[in-house]
PDB file of all heavy atoms in Angstrom:
ATOM      1  N   LEU H  26     -11.953   4.022 -24.663  1.00  0.00           N
ATOM      2  CA  LEU H  26     -10.962   2.993 -24.373  1.00  0.00           C
ATOM      3  C   LEU H  26      -9.587   3.454 -24.827  1.00  0.00           C
ATOM      4  O   LEU H  26      -9.383   3.765 -25.998  1.00  0.00           O
ATOM      5  CB  LEU H  26     -11.341   1.684 -25.071  1.00  0.00           C
ATOM      6  CG  LEU H  26     -10.421   0.477 -24.850  1.00  0.00           C
ATOM      7  CD1 LEU H  26     -10.464   0.033 -23.396  1.00  0.00           C
ATOM      8  CD2 LEU H  26     -10.817  -0.678 -25.771  1.00  0.00           C
ATOM      9  N   ILE H  27      -8.649   3.494 -23.904  1.00  0.00           N
ATOM     10  CA  ILE H  27      -7.273   3.887 -24.196  1.00  0.00           C
ATOM     11  C   ILE H  27      -6.411   2.635 -24.140  1.00  0.00           C
ATOM     12  O   ILE H  27      -6.337   1.964 -23.104  1.00  0.00           O
ATOM     13  CB  ILE H  27      -6.749   4.931 -23.195  1.00  0.00           C
ATOM     14  CG1 ILE H  27      -7.735   6.108 -23.055  1.00  0.00           C
ATOM     15  CG2 ILE H  27      -5.363   5.407 -23.604  1.00  0.00           C
ATOM     16  CD1 ILE H  27      -7.933   6.905 -24.306  1.00  0.00           C
ATOM     17  N   ILE H  28      -5.735   2.325 -25.250  1.00  0.00           N
ATOM     18  CA  ILE H  28      -4.922   1.119 -25.334  1.00  0.00           C
ATOM     19  C   ILE H  28      -3.472   1.516 -25.592  1.00  0.00           C
ATOM     20  O   ILE H  28      -3.094   1.788 -26.738  1.00  0.00           O
ATOM     21  CB  ILE H  28      -5.407   0.172 -26.446  1.00  0.00           C
ATOM     22  CG1 ILE H  28      -6.888  -0.151 -26.260  1.00  0.00           C
ATOM     23  CG2 ILE H  28      -4.588  -1.118 -26.449  1.00  0.00           C
ATOM     24  CD1 ILE H  28      -7.462  -1.016 -27.349  1.00  0.00           C
ATOM     25  N   PRO H  29      -2.641   1.559 -24.566  1.00  0.00           N
ATOM     26  CA  PRO H  29      -1.232   1.894 -24.786  1.00  0.00           C
ATOM     27  C   PRO H  29      -0.493   0.747 -25.457  1.00  0.00           C
ATOM     28  O   PRO H  29      -0.728  -0.427 -25.146  1.00  0.00           O
ATOM     29  CB  PRO H  29      -0.700   2.135 -23.367  1.00  0.00           C
ATOM     30  CG  PRO H  29      -1.585   1.322 -22.482  1.00  0.00           C
ATOM     31  CD  PRO H  29      -2.939   1.321 -23.144  1.00  0.00           C
ATOM     32  N   ALA H  30       0.374   1.063 -26.378  1.00  0.00           N
ATOM     33  CA  ALA H  30       1.136   0.051 -27.108  1.00  0.00           C
ATOM     34  C   ALA H  30       2.356  -0.359 -26.288  1.00  0.00           C
ATOM     35  O   ALA H  30       3.485   0.042 -26.568  1.00  0.00           O
ATOM     36  CB  ALA H  30       1.542   0.572 -28.477  1.00  0.00           C
ATOM     37  N   ILE H  31       2.112  -1.150 -25.258  1.00  0.00           N
ATOM     38  CA  ILE H  31       3.205  -1.615 -24.413  1.00  0.00           C
ATOM     39  C   ILE H  31       3.171  -3.130 -24.338  1.00  0.00           C
ATOM     40  O   ILE H  31       2.111  -3.752 -24.304  1.00  0.00           O
ATOM     41  CB  ILE H  31       3.134  -1.025 -22.992  1.00  0.00           C
ATOM     42  CG1 ILE H  31       1.772  -1.306 -22.336  1.00  0.00           C
ATOM     43  CG2 ILE H  31       3.401   0.479 -23.029  1.00  0.00           C
ATOM     44  CD1 ILE H  31       1.700  -0.874 -20.882  1.00  0.00           C
ATOM     45  N   SER H  32       4.345  -3.730 -24.346  1.00  0.00           N
ATOM     46  CA  SER H  32       4.451  -5.175 -24.252  1.00  0.00           C
ATOM     47  C   SER H  32       4.795  -5.648 -22.852  1.00  0.00           C
ATOM     48  O   SER H  32       4.744  -6.832 -22.561  1.00  0.00           O
ATOM     49  CB  SER H  32       5.499  -5.703 -25.240  1.00  0.00           C
ATOM     50  OG  SER H  32       6.760  -5.109 -24.989  1.00  0.00           O
ATOM     51  N   LYS H  33       5.160  -4.718 -21.987  1.00  0.00           N
ATOM     52  CA  LYS H  33       5.460  -5.054 -20.599  1.00  0.00           C
ATOM     53  C   LYS H  33       5.007  -3.921 -19.700  1.00  0.00           C
ATOM     54  O   LYS H  33       4.736  -2.808 -20.164  1.00  0.00           O
ATOM     55  CB  LYS H  33       6.961  -5.328 -20.417  1.00  0.00           C
ATOM     56  CG  LYS H  33       7.867  -4.173 -20.815  1.00  0.00           C
ATOM     57  CD  LYS H  33       9.330  -4.549 -20.622  1.00  0.00           C
ATOM     58  CE  LYS H  33      10.256  -3.383 -21.014  1.00  0.00           C
ATOM     59  NZ  LYS H  33      11.678  -3.727 -20.812  1.00  0.00           N
ATOM     60  N   MET H  34       4.942  -4.204 -18.426  1.00  0.00           N
ATOM     61  CA  MET H  34       4.438  -3.231 -17.474  1.00  0.00           C
ATOM     62  C   MET H  34       5.481  -2.159 -17.180  1.00  0.00           C
ATOM     63  O   MET H  34       6.255  -2.253 -16.234  1.00  0.00           O
ATOM     64  CB  MET H  34       4.018  -3.939 -16.183  1.00  0.00           C
ATOM     65  CG  MET H  34       2.888  -4.932 -16.369  1.00  0.00           C
ATOM     66  SD  MET H  34       1.334  -4.154 -16.903  1.00  0.00           S
ATOM     67  CE  MET H  34       1.333  -4.535 -18.650  1.00  0.00           C
ATOM     68  N   ASP H  35       5.531  -1.158 -18.039  1.00  0.00           N
ATOM     69  CA  ASP H  35       6.465  -0.047 -17.881  1.00  0.00           C
ATOM     70  C   ASP H  35       5.778   1.062 -17.077  1.00  0.00           C
ATOM     71  O   ASP H  35       4.825   1.683 -17.554  1.00  0.00           O
ATOM     72  CB  ASP H  35       6.901   0.481 -19.251  1.00  0.00           C
ATOM     73  CG  ASP H  35       8.016   1.518 -19.152  1.00  0.00           C
ATOM     74  OD1 ASP H  35       7.820   2.540 -18.472  1.00  0.00           O
ATOM     75  OD2 ASP H  35       9.076   1.319 -19.793  1.00  0.00           O
ATOM     76  N   VAL H  36       6.263   1.317 -15.879  1.00  0.00           N
ATOM     77  CA  VAL H  36       5.625   2.270 -14.979  1.00  0.00           C
ATOM     78  C   VAL H  36       5.599   3.668 -15.577  1.00  0.00           C
ATOM     79  O   VAL H  36       4.608   4.403 -15.450  1.00  0.00           O
ATOM     80  CB  VAL H  36       6.332   2.274 -13.611  1.00  0.00           C
ATOM     81  CG1 VAL H  36       5.780   3.399 -12.725  1.00  0.00           C
ATOM     82  CG2 VAL H  36       6.165   0.938 -12.918  1.00  0.00           C
ATOM     83  N   ASN H  37       6.669   4.055 -16.252  1.00  0.00           N
ATOM     84  CA  ASN H  37       6.733   5.403 -16.821  1.00  0.00           C
ATOM     85  C   ASN H  37       5.703   5.590 -17.936  1.00  0.00           C
ATOM     86  O   ASN H  37       5.017   6.615 -18.003  1.00  0.00           O
ATOM     87  CB  ASN H  37       8.135   5.685 -17.342  1.00  0.00           C
ATOM     88  CG  ASN H  37       9.150   5.838 -16.227  1.00  0.00           C
ATOM     89  OD1 ASN H  37       8.863   6.413 -15.171  1.00  0.00           O
ATOM     90  ND2 ASN H  37      10.355   5.310 -16.442  1.00  0.00           N
ATOM     91  N   ILE H  38       5.602   4.589 -18.805  1.00  0.00           N
ATOM     92  CA  ILE H  38       4.626   4.684 -19.900  1.00  0.00           C
ATOM     93  C   ILE H  38       3.208   4.696 -19.353  1.00  0.00           C
ATOM     94  O   ILE H  38       2.365   5.498 -19.776  1.00  0.00           O
ATOM     95  CB  ILE H  38       4.816   3.526 -20.898  1.00  0.00           C
ATOM     96  CG1 ILE H  38       6.168   3.641 -21.602  1.00  0.00           C
ATOM     97  CG2 ILE H  38       3.686   3.516 -21.930  1.00  0.00           C
ATOM     98  CD1 ILE H  38       6.468   2.507 -22.548  1.00  0.00           C
ATOM     99  N   ILE H  39       2.927   3.804 -18.408  1.00  0.00           N
ATOM    100  CA  ILE H  39       1.592   3.746 -17.822  1.00  0.00           C
ATOM    101  C   ILE H  39       1.264   5.069 -17.123  1.00  0.00           C
ATOM    102  O   ILE H  39       0.155   5.602 -17.257  1.00  0.00           O
ATOM    103  CB  ILE H  39       1.486   2.569 -16.840  1.00  0.00           C
ATOM    104  CG1 ILE H  39       1.576   1.250 -17.604  1.00  0.00           C
ATOM    105  CG2 ILE H  39       0.169   2.630 -16.060  1.00  0.00           C
ATOM    106  CD1 ILE H  39       1.653   0.028 -16.707  1.00  0.00           C
ATOM    107  N   GLY H  40       2.229   5.603 -16.397  1.00  0.00           N
ATOM    108  CA  GLY H  40       2.016   6.885 -15.732  1.00  0.00           C
ATOM    109  C   GLY H  40       1.705   8.000 -16.710  1.00  0.00           C
ATOM    110  O   GLY H  40       0.803   8.819 -16.479  1.00  0.00           O
ATOM    111  N   ASN H  41       2.427   8.040 -17.817  1.00  0.00           N
ATOM    112  CA  ASN H  41       2.178   9.064 -18.835  1.00  0.00           C
ATOM    113  C   ASN H  41       0.786   8.915 -19.449  1.00  0.00           C
ATOM    114  O   ASN H  41       0.088   9.913 -19.694  1.00  0.00           O
ATOM    115  CB  ASN H  41       3.243   8.985 -19.926  1.00  0.00           C
ATOM    116  CG  ASN H  41       4.608   9.449 -19.451  1.00  0.00           C
ATOM    117  OD1 ASN H  41       4.726  10.211 -18.493  1.00  0.00           O
ATOM    118  ND2 ASN H  41       5.656   8.980 -20.125  1.00  0.00           N
ATOM    119  N   GLU H  42       0.370   7.655 -19.724  1.00  0.00           N
ATOM    120  CA  GLU H  42      -0.950   7.421 -20.293  1.00  0.00           C
ATOM    121  C   GLU H  42      -2.048   7.848 -19.320  1.00  0.00           C
ATOM    122  O   GLU H  42      -3.062   8.443 -19.718  1.00  0.00           O
ATOM    123  CB  GLU H  42      -1.116   5.943 -20.652  1.00  0.00           C
ATOM    124  CG  GLU H  42      -0.222   5.453 -21.777  1.00  0.00           C
ATOM    125  CD  GLU H  42      -0.643   5.975 -23.142  1.00  0.00           C
ATOM    126  OE1 GLU H  42      -1.779   6.498 -23.270  1.00  0.00           O
ATOM    127  OE2 GLU H  42       0.157   5.857 -24.092  1.00  0.00           O
ATOM    128  N   LEU H  43      -1.870   7.549 -18.054  1.00  0.00           N
ATOM    129  CA  LEU H  43      -2.844   7.945 -17.041  1.00  0.00           C
ATOM    130  C   LEU H  43      -3.001   9.456 -16.986  1.00  0.00           C
ATOM    131  O   LEU H  43      -4.114   9.990 -16.961  1.00  0.00           O
ATOM    132  CB  LEU H  43      -2.410   7.415 -15.672  1.00  0.00           C
ATOM    133  CG  LEU H  43      -2.581   5.912 -15.406  1.00  0.00           C
ATOM    134  CD1 LEU H  43      -1.752   5.491 -14.204  1.00  0.00           C
ATOM    135  CD2 LEU H  43      -4.050   5.583 -15.164  1.00  0.00           C
ATOM    136  N   GLU H  44      -1.879  10.144 -16.970  1.00  0.00           N
ATOM    137  CA  GLU H  44      -1.896  11.602 -16.804  1.00  0.00           C
ATOM    138  C   GLU H  44      -2.353  12.312 -18.072  1.00  0.00           C
ATOM    139  O   GLU H  44      -3.176  13.235 -18.018  1.00  0.00           O
ATOM    140  CB  GLU H  44      -0.522  12.080 -16.390  1.00  0.00           C
ATOM    141  CG  GLU H  44      -0.479  13.548 -15.972  1.00  0.00           C
ATOM    142  CD  GLU H  44       0.798  13.906 -15.237  1.00  0.00           C
ATOM    143  OE1 GLU H  44       1.750  13.082 -15.242  1.00  0.00           O
ATOM    144  OE2 GLU H  44       0.842  15.005 -14.631  1.00  0.00           O
ATOM    145  N   ASN H  45      -1.849  11.893 -19.212  1.00  0.00           N
ATOM    146  CA  ASN H  45      -2.155  12.589 -20.469  1.00  0.00           C
ATOM    147  C   ASN H  45      -3.602  12.403 -20.920  1.00  0.00           C
ATOM    148  O   ASN H  45      -4.151  13.237 -21.644  1.00  0.00           O
ATOM    149  CB  ASN H  45      -1.214  12.123 -21.576  1.00  0.00           C
ATOM    150  CG  ASN H  45       0.235  12.499 -21.306  1.00  0.00           C
ATOM    151  OD1 ASN H  45       0.520  13.439 -20.564  1.00  0.00           O
ATOM    152  ND2 ASN H  45       1.168  11.764 -21.910  1.00  0.00           N
ATOM    153  N   ASN H  46      -4.213  11.301 -20.503  1.00  0.00           N
ATOM    154  CA  ASN H  46      -5.567  10.996 -20.957  1.00  0.00           C
ATOM    155  C   ASN H  46      -6.637  11.192 -19.893  1.00  0.00           C
ATOM    156  O   ASN H  46      -7.807  10.918 -20.141  1.00  0.00           O
ATOM    157  CB  ASN H  46      -5.624   9.551 -21.471  1.00  0.00           C
ATOM    158  CG  ASN H  46      -4.826   9.339 -22.728  1.00  0.00           C
ATOM    159  OD1 ASN H  46      -5.203   9.788 -23.810  1.00  0.00           O
ATOM    160  ND2 ASN H  46      -3.688   8.646 -22.616  1.00  0.00           N
ATOM    161  N   ASN H  47      -6.245  11.667 -18.714  1.00  0.00           N
ATOM    162  CA  ASN H  47      -7.196  11.880 -17.621  1.00  0.00           C
ATOM    163  C   ASN H  47      -8.044  10.632 -17.367  1.00  0.00           C
ATOM    164  O   ASN H  47      -9.285  10.678 -17.362  1.00  0.00           O
ATOM    165  CB  ASN H  47      -8.092  13.087 -17.915  1.00  0.00           C
ATOM    166  CG  ASN H  47      -7.318  14.394 -17.935  1.00  0.00           C
ATOM    167  OD1 ASN H  47      -6.498  14.653 -17.062  1.00  0.00           O
ATOM    168  ND2 ASN H  47      -7.573  15.214 -18.954  1.00  0.00           N
ATOM    169  N   ILE H  48      -7.376   9.527 -17.161  1.00  0.00           N
ATOM    170  CA  ILE H  48      -8.032   8.234 -16.985  1.00  0.00           C
ATOM    171  C   ILE H  48      -8.892   8.233 -15.724  1.00  0.00           C
ATOM    172  O   ILE H  48      -8.459   8.679 -14.651  1.00  0.00           O
ATOM    173  CB  ILE H  48      -6.990   7.106 -16.925  1.00  0.00           C
ATOM    174  CG1 ILE H  48      -6.182   7.039 -18.216  1.00  0.00           C
ATOM    175  CG2 ILE H  48      -7.660   5.768 -16.612  1.00  0.00           C
ATOM    176  CD1 ILE H  48      -6.988   6.749 -19.450  1.00  0.00           C
ATOM    177  N   THR H  49     -10.113   7.718 -15.846  1.00  0.00           N
ATOM    178  CA  THR H  49     -11.014   7.650 -14.697  1.00  0.00           C
ATOM    179  C   THR H  49     -11.057   6.269 -14.065  1.00  0.00           C
ATOM    180  O   THR H  49     -11.523   6.105 -12.935  1.00  0.00           O
ATOM    181  CB  THR H  49     -12.446   8.046 -15.094  1.00  0.00           C
ATOM    182  OG1 THR H  49     -12.944   7.119 -16.090  1.00  0.00           O
ATOM    183  CG2 THR H  49     -12.482   9.460 -15.641  1.00  0.00           C
ATOM    184  N   HIS H  50     -10.590   5.249 -14.790  1.00  0.00           N
ATOM    185  CA  HIS H  50     -10.603   3.896 -14.244  1.00  0.00           C
ATOM    186  C   HIS H  50      -9.574   3.034 -14.963  1.00  0.00           C
ATOM    187  O   HIS H  50      -9.358   3.165 -16.159  1.00  0.00           O
ATOM    188  CB  HIS H  50     -11.975   3.242 -14.390  1.00  0.00           C
ATOM    189  CG  HIS H  50     -11.969   1.784 -13.980  1.00  0.00           C
ATOM    190  ND1 HIS H  50     -11.716   0.761 -14.872  1.00  0.00           N
ATOM    191  CD2 HIS H  50     -12.140   1.198 -12.780  1.00  0.00           C
ATOM    192  CE1 HIS H  50     -11.754  -0.396 -14.220  1.00  0.00           C
ATOM    193  NE2 HIS H  50     -12.016  -0.154 -12.957  1.00  0.00           N
ATOM    194  N   PHE H  51      -8.940   2.148 -14.220  1.00  0.00           N
ATOM    195  CA  PHE H  51      -8.171   1.073 -14.825  1.00  0.00           C
ATOM    196  C   PHE H  51      -8.042  -0.088 -13.848  1.00  0.00           C
ATOM    197  O   PHE H  51      -8.193   0.060 -12.636  1.00  0.00           O
ATOM    198  CB  PHE H  51      -6.805   1.542 -15.342  1.00  0.00           C
ATOM    199  CG  PHE H  51      -5.759   1.793 -14.279  1.00  0.00           C
ATOM    200  CD1 PHE H  51      -4.576   1.090 -14.269  1.00  0.00           C
ATOM    201  CD2 PHE H  51      -5.928   2.780 -13.324  1.00  0.00           C
ATOM    202  CE1 PHE H  51      -3.592   1.337 -13.327  1.00  0.00           C
ATOM    203  CE2 PHE H  51      -4.943   3.045 -12.380  1.00  0.00           C
ATOM    204  CZ  PHE H  51      -3.767   2.307 -12.380  1.00  0.00           C
ATOM    205  N   LEU H  52      -7.799  -1.239 -14.421  1.00  0.00           N
ATOM    206  CA  LEU H  52      -7.631  -2.477 -13.663  1.00  0.00           C
ATOM    207  C   LEU H  52      -6.150  -2.787 -13.597  1.00  0.00           C
ATOM    208  O   LEU H  52      -5.452  -2.742 -14.612  1.00  0.00           O
ATOM    209  CB  LEU H  52      -8.407  -3.613 -14.336  1.00  0.00           C
ATOM    210  CG  LEU H  52      -8.412  -4.986 -13.668  1.00  0.00           C
ATOM    211  CD1 LEU H  52      -9.709  -5.727 -14.009  1.00  0.00           C
ATOM    212  CD2 LEU H  52      -7.221  -5.846 -14.096  1.00  0.00           C
ATOM    213  N   VAL H  53      -5.660  -3.128 -12.400  1.00  0.00           N
ATOM    214  CA  VAL H  53      -4.230  -3.280 -12.215  1.00  0.00           C
ATOM    215  C   VAL H  53      -3.958  -4.308 -11.120  1.00  0.00           C
ATOM    216  O   VAL H  53      -4.766  -4.470 -10.192  1.00  0.00           O
ATOM    217  CB  VAL H  53      -3.594  -1.919 -11.856  1.00  0.00           C
ATOM    218  CG1 VAL H  53      -4.172  -1.384 -10.549  1.00  0.00           C
ATOM    219  CG2 VAL H  53      -2.084  -1.986 -11.800  1.00  0.00           C
ATOM    220  N   VAL H  54      -2.838  -5.013 -11.219  1.00  0.00           N
ATOM    221  CA  VAL H  54      -2.441  -5.918 -10.142  1.00  0.00           C
ATOM    222  C   VAL H  54      -1.937  -5.091  -8.976  1.00  0.00           C
ATOM    223  O   VAL H  54      -1.343  -4.013  -9.160  1.00  0.00           O
ATOM    224  CB  VAL H  54      -1.375  -6.932 -10.606  1.00  0.00           C
ATOM    225  CG1 VAL H  54      -1.937  -7.863 -11.672  1.00  0.00           C
ATOM    226  CG2 VAL H  54      -0.134  -6.218 -11.131  1.00  0.00           C
ATOM    227  N   PRO H  55      -2.161  -5.538  -7.736  1.00  0.00           N
ATOM    228  CA  PRO H  55      -1.777  -4.748  -6.561  1.00  0.00           C
ATOM    229  C   PRO H  55      -0.308  -4.345  -6.537  1.00  0.00           C
ATOM    230  O   PRO H  55       0.029  -3.226  -6.113  1.00  0.00           O
ATOM    231  CB  PRO H  55      -2.128  -5.670  -5.393  1.00  0.00           C
ATOM    232  CG  PRO H  55      -3.258  -6.500  -5.907  1.00  0.00           C
ATOM    233  CD  PRO H  55      -2.939  -6.733  -7.349  1.00  0.00           C
ATOM    234  N   SER H  56       0.595  -5.239  -6.949  1.00  0.00           N
ATOM    235  CA  SER H  56       2.023  -4.913  -6.899  1.00  0.00           C
ATOM    236  C   SER H  56       2.371  -3.740  -7.794  1.00  0.00           C
ATOM    237  O   SER H  56       3.189  -2.880  -7.426  1.00  0.00           O
ATOM    238  CB  SER H  56       2.857  -6.143  -7.282  1.00  0.00           C
ATOM    239  OG  SER H  56       2.457  -6.654  -8.552  1.00  0.00           O
ATOM    240  N   LEU H  57       1.768  -3.661  -8.980  1.00  0.00           N
ATOM    241  CA  LEU H  57       2.003  -2.529  -9.871  1.00  0.00           C
ATOM    242  C   LEU H  57       1.357  -1.265  -9.336  1.00  0.00           C
ATOM    243  O   LEU H  57       1.925  -0.172  -9.427  1.00  0.00           O
ATOM    244  CB  LEU H  57       1.479  -2.837 -11.274  1.00  0.00           C
ATOM    245  CG  LEU H  57       1.592  -1.718 -12.312  1.00  0.00           C
ATOM    246  CD1 LEU H  57       3.032  -1.261 -12.483  1.00  0.00           C
ATOM    247  CD2 LEU H  57       1.015  -2.169 -13.661  1.00  0.00           C
ATOM    248  N   TYR H  58       0.169  -1.407  -8.761  1.00  0.00           N
ATOM    249  CA  TYR H  58      -0.509  -0.233  -8.207  1.00  0.00           C
ATOM    250  C   TYR H  58       0.293   0.380  -7.062  1.00  0.00           C
ATOM    251  O   TYR H  58       0.365   1.597  -6.919  1.00  0.00           O
ATOM    252  CB  TYR H  58      -1.906  -0.599  -7.733  1.00  0.00           C
ATOM    253  CG  TYR H  58      -2.713   0.591  -7.259  1.00  0.00           C
ATOM    254  CD1 TYR H  58      -2.813   1.737  -8.036  1.00  0.00           C
ATOM    255  CD2 TYR H  58      -3.360   0.577  -6.020  1.00  0.00           C
ATOM    256  CE1 TYR H  58      -3.545   2.835  -7.607  1.00  0.00           C
ATOM    257  CE2 TYR H  58      -4.095   1.657  -5.586  1.00  0.00           C
ATOM    258  CZ  TYR H  58      -4.174   2.788  -6.373  1.00  0.00           C
ATOM    259  OH  TYR H  58      -4.892   3.880  -5.936  1.00  0.00           O
ATOM    260  N   LYS H  59       0.947  -0.457  -6.275  1.00  0.00           N
ATOM    261  CA  LYS H  59       1.772   0.033  -5.176  1.00  0.00           C
ATOM    262  C   LYS H  59       2.904   0.914  -5.705  1.00  0.00           C
ATOM    263  O   LYS H  59       3.194   1.978  -5.141  1.00  0.00           O
ATOM    264  CB  LYS H  59       2.352  -1.149  -4.392  1.00  0.00           C
ATOM    265  CG  LYS H  59       3.137  -0.759  -3.139  1.00  0.00           C
ATOM    266  CD  LYS H  59       3.594  -1.990  -2.373  1.00  0.00           C
ATOM    267  CE  LYS H  59       4.321  -1.596  -1.096  1.00  0.00           C
ATOM    268  NZ  LYS H  59       3.452  -0.910  -0.131  1.00  0.00           N
ATOM    269  N   VAL H  60       3.518   0.486  -6.812  1.00  0.00           N
ATOM    270  CA  VAL H  60       4.593   1.272  -7.420  1.00  0.00           C
ATOM    271  C   VAL H  60       4.050   2.590  -7.968  1.00  0.00           C
ATOM    272  O   VAL H  60       4.674   3.652  -7.818  1.00  0.00           O
ATOM    273  CB  VAL H  60       5.288   0.463  -8.533  1.00  0.00           C
ATOM    274  CG1 VAL H  60       6.353   1.314  -9.225  1.00  0.00           C
ATOM    275  CG2 VAL H  60       5.910  -0.808  -7.967  1.00  0.00           C
ATOM    276  N   LEU H  61       2.888   2.552  -8.608  1.00  0.00           N
ATOM    277  CA  LEU H  61       2.291   3.767  -9.151  1.00  0.00           C
ATOM    278  C   LEU H  61       1.955   4.770  -8.045  1.00  0.00           C
ATOM    279  O   LEU H  61       2.162   5.982  -8.217  1.00  0.00           O
ATOM    280  CB  LEU H  61       1.033   3.419  -9.948  1.00  0.00           C
ATOM    281  CG  LEU H  61       1.254   2.693 -11.279  1.00  0.00           C
ATOM    282  CD1 LEU H  61      -0.071   2.166 -11.822  1.00  0.00           C
ATOM    283  CD2 LEU H  61       1.910   3.617 -12.298  1.00  0.00           C
TER     284      LEU H  61
END
């Protein structure tokens, strides 16, 4: 379980967490996923 210390949906932070940790799954709202 990877828990980023973010208080808001920051695309850059989320992107870094995804890439640095080789994430295999996450749950996301469609609008944020579209931006990613």
Side-chain angles (χ1 to χ4, degrees):
L26 181 66
I27 309 296
I28 305 177
I31 55 174
S32 58
K33 58 181 180 179
M34 297 296 102
D35 188 302
V36 173
N37 290 322
I38 294 177
I39 293 173
N41 289 337
E42 293 288 346
L43 286 164
E44 189 165 12
N45 295 337
N46 293 288
N47 294 315
I48 299 299
T49 62
H50 173 269
F51 75 120
L52 183 151
V53 61
V54 295
S56 55
L57 177 57
Y58 185 50
K59 185 176 182 65
V60 177
L61 289 169

